[in-house]
Amino acid sequence: MTDSIPRYSGDDPEALEAKYAAERARRMVAGRGEIHDLAGDERFARYRADPWTAFQDREPVTREVDVAIVGAGMGGLVVAARLREQGVDRIAMVDEAGGFGGTWYWNRYPGVMCDIESTIYLPMLEEMDYVPKHRYAFGEEIRTYFESIAEKYDLHPGALFHTRVERTEWRDDDAHWRVTTDRGDTIRARFVILAVGFLNRMKLPALPGMEDFRGPSFHTARWDYEITGGSPASSGHLERLEGKRVGIIGTGASAVQCVPPLAKSCEQLFVFQRTPSAIGVRDNRPTDPGIASSRHPGWQAERMDNFASIMLALPATEDVIDDGWTRNYAPLLTPRVDFSLPLEEIARQIDAVDHGVMDAHRERVDEIVRDPAKAEILKPYYRYLCKRPLFHDEYLPAIDRPNVTLVDCPAGVERITETGLVVNGDAYDVDVLVYATGFEGEATPIDRKLGHPVVGRRDTELGEKWRDGVRSLHGVVSRGFPNLFLMPAPYQQAVVTVTHTHITVEGAAHIAETIGALAARSVRSFEVSESAENAWVEQIVAARVDGMPFLASCTPSRFNFEGDPAQSNPMNGSFGGSAGDLFGYRALLAAWREKGDFEGFELEFD
Ligand code: NDP
């Protein structure tokens, strides 16, 4: 194991394990995963409203295109850009948002930024001739960057915003899809690409009394600057919160970023914490000027490959990103141990690394937070990979401020009242309430992520077909759905990459080049053969790594189905098992394209 990895120095790992189990038990509360269905419950419709772009009436459009893309976030943009490079002129993009950017369109809360290094998070930097301003980019820079991709690749004319797809349906008679929307549009498309992302549905917990709260309340993904003052582009001072008591529910990735500006701006901040996050060093700074000056063809791809190599424990001469992900996350995601050792010894070595990493996080709390009661509540007691790790340098000092009250509520907030919240029987009155309660995650069924039925041949509906598990070829196409592609995503038989951008750019290249090749051969339609799909599913299931014992011991989170990992489905795994073999997957797709015979596709020609 590498020497830079902190090891556990405590003398009683068993006591630590017991503490982990006790903390887990405090959070294993029935109904902890219950949510208000924002899609189906009109009482909560206002939480979905777009604060950023005014809704404009328009006439329904009827359009004939080569490719219709559902989703105009990072996935949709990158695949559209790649399609342009293939010479595809007629592209339609549909999105419920009022503009491009997906996550970065919606999430404009104060302090929003990306904690993956910007040079490997922002896609297509080389094509765009762009160098991000900071090591970790702020949300506004990311959103405007996505706008500039749309500009460069001329995607505005084909985009339909504030438009929700209601149905995507295949017609065998003319071998085209019909995409119909809530604005009365009909798009006739030769190909459809589903690019809706996987953290695309806001989550509001099913707390009793939410409708009773008389003050303003909103979700972080729809920040209300009318109430708080400030703006997405401002320095984070929220002048309308002066003299106000603010409550925030949640202490995940979004909360950690918006708590510091909230704490500085309001009179009193109440932070309701169910599970503490592990908050590592962020160390943001202007982008190293050496990056701009040393750019050469392929520079960003090399950087991404280096990061992925470290994540997958593959040989790499240096760690060019060198941050908390590569130093702490990688050695636990892909342990650097001698696997010929006895199992107990392997487990002991991995635990020593894990306990060391988590001890370092707990020590960081003690170093920064002077109030010992707050410090104790902030310490995370679980294994590092049980939850998504966070990186921030202002959050812990913000919690330490005298105007911030940290409320420990492992069983969750009890209920909302007209004037505030009740936790452990105690009432907390607030003027403004912020829900930093996140998003439905990777395991959300495909039809729920899509929000509409996709109906293929033989009246097959995609959500129905995948009800008992994903069935695909390469995680991007599925039998019964001719000329339809899905951008690769977690739980979808592709691979998972720590920076989602990496699998996005690989998937976009594969899909766009495949569409280009199909068009060049005048293919009317393709459909995945039954045998190819079965073989891929079998390969995914066979490669499955049983993470059950680990996940079962974890604190509840979306990664272990809120404490019930038995819900995980081996069919929804990755190529190569576990998080997946990115480089093997990429080589396999490249070889498949290179061969040029569309192996596993049944083709019909015009
Ligand atoms: P999270 O799911 O990470 O956090 C939600 C928070 O709400 C958790 O602290 C959760 O507690 C809490 N919560 C939920 N229900 C209740 C309840 N009933 N009572 C009390 N507390 C409750 O959501 P985020 O929006 O913070 O992040 C979601 C994902 O988005 C991240 O994991 C990350 O992948 C991505 N993201 C990435 C960023 C980046 O910088 N790259 C920035 C922001 C988001 P508990 O922990 O106990 O479940």
Side-chain angles (χ1 to χ4, degrees), residues 19 23 26-27 251 271-277 365-366 369 371-382 395-396 399 405-410:
K19 170 78 172 159
E23 289 293 334
R26 292 173 78 207
R27 293 173 173 85
T251 53
V271 178
F272 298 92
Q273 174 193 278
R274 194 163 65 174
T275 315
S277 292
V365 173
D366 277 330
V369 180
D371 178 332
K374 284 182 181 172
E376 215 36 54
I377 300 171
L378 285 164
K379 288 180 193 164
Y381 284 99
Y382 46 79
Y395 176 75
L396 294 173
I399 296 285
T405 304
L406 179 64
V407 183
D408 180 29
C409 54

Side-chain angles (χ1 to χ4, degrees), residues 162-230:
H162 281 161
T163 303
R164 189 167 50 77
V165 175
E166 286 192 326
R167 190 173 175 85
T168 299
E169 184 176 338
W170 174 254
R171 296 272 178 85
D172 257 329
D173 51 0
D174 65 355
H176 275 72
W177 288 94
R178 297 290 187 290
V179 180
T180 48
T181 78
D182 64 344
R183 309 285 293 259
D185 314 309
T186 302
I187 302 163
R188 184 170 172 270
R190 175 67 88 184
F191 297 98
V192 164
I193 301 172
L194 303 174
V196 295
F198 61 94
L199 286 162
N200 62 337
R201 295 182 79 98
M202 282 189 294
K203 209 164 71 179
L204 277 186
L207 300 176
M210 271 177 63
E211 320 83 283
D212 300 337
F213 183 64
R214 286 200 303 248
S217 60
F218 51 85
H219 189 281
T220 44
R222 303 285 189 276
W223 194 269
D224 192 339
Y225 284 98
E226 286 290 315
I227 299 296
T228 66

Side-chain angles (χ1 to χ4, degrees), residues 85-303:
E85 290 165 2
Q86 292 294 320
V88 178
D89 289 332
R90 301 179 310 164
I91 299 174
M93 299 179 80
V94 188
D95 202 297
E96 281 185 73
F100 291 101
T103 290
W104 302 99
Y105 174 86
W106 292 114
N107 285 274
R108 304 193 204 186
Y109 55 80
V112 60
M113 66 183 330
C114 185
D115 59 14
I116 298 282
E117 212 208 60
S118 53
T119 57
I120 56 168
Y121 183 77
L122 292 179
M124 303 176 64
L125 287 175
E126 203 172 330
E127 294 86 333
M128 297 297 293
D129 192 20
Y130 186 77
V131 178
K133 295 190 184 80
H134 289 91
R135 189 174 181 210
Y136 302 102
F138 287 92
E140 202 51 13
E141 181 184 10
I142 302 173
R143 193 184 62 75
T144 49
Y145 176 75
F146 283 148
E147 278 286 344
S148 66
I149 293 181
E151 207 64 55
K152 174 169 170 142
Y153 291 91
D154 194 27
L155 301 174
H156 278 279
L160 296 172
F161 290 124
H162 281 161
T163 303
R164 189 167 50 77
V165 175
E166 286 192 326
R167 190 173 175 85
T168 299
E169 184 176 338
W170 174 254
R171 296 272 178 85
D172 257 329
D173 51 0
D174 65 355
H176 275 72
W177 288 94
R178 297 290 187 290
V179 180
T180 48
T181 78
D182 64 344
R183 309 285 293 259
D185 314 309
T186 302
I187 302 163
R188 184 170 172 270
R190 175 67 88 184
F191 297 98
V192 164
I193 301 172
L194 303 174
V196 295
F198 61 94
L199 286 162
N200 62 337
R201 295 182 79 98
M202 282 189 294
K203 209 164 71 179
L204 277 186
L207 300 176
M210 271 177 63
E211 320 83 283
D212 300 337
F213 183 64
R214 286 200 303 248
S217 60
F218 51 85
H219 189 281
T220 44
R222 303 285 189 276
W223 194 269
D224 192 339
Y225 284 98
E226 286 290 315
I227 299 296
T228 66
S231 75
S234 74
S235 60
H237 182 60
L238 309 165
E239 71 280 356
R240 291 191 194 150
L241 292 181
E242 274 168 32
K244 295 264 167 47
R245 297 161 304 175
V246 177
I248 180 165
I249 303 177
T251 53
S254 303
V256 158
Q257 295 178 345
C258 67
V259 157
L262 279 175
K264 278 187 204 147
S265 307
C266 70
E267 168 112 3
Q268 182 69 34
L269 179 65
F270 295 92
V271 178
F272 298 92
Q273 174 193 278
R274 194 163 65 174
T275 315
S277 292
I279 301 166
V281 173
R282 182 180 52 172
D283 191 17
N284 201 11
R285 51 180 187 256
T287 301
D288 175 357
I291 290 179
S293 58
S294 65
R295 283 178 296 161
H296 55 274
W299 73 272
Q300 187 185 27
E302 279 173 23
R303 240 176 135 78

Side-chain angles (χ1 to χ4, degrees), residues 314-335:
L314 299 172
T317 46
E318 66 174 320
D319 171 4
V320 297
I321 303 297
D322 189 25
D323 67 3
W325 290 106
T326 60
R327 275 182 248 139
N328 294 331
Y329 195 81
L332 288 163
L333 184 69
T334 45

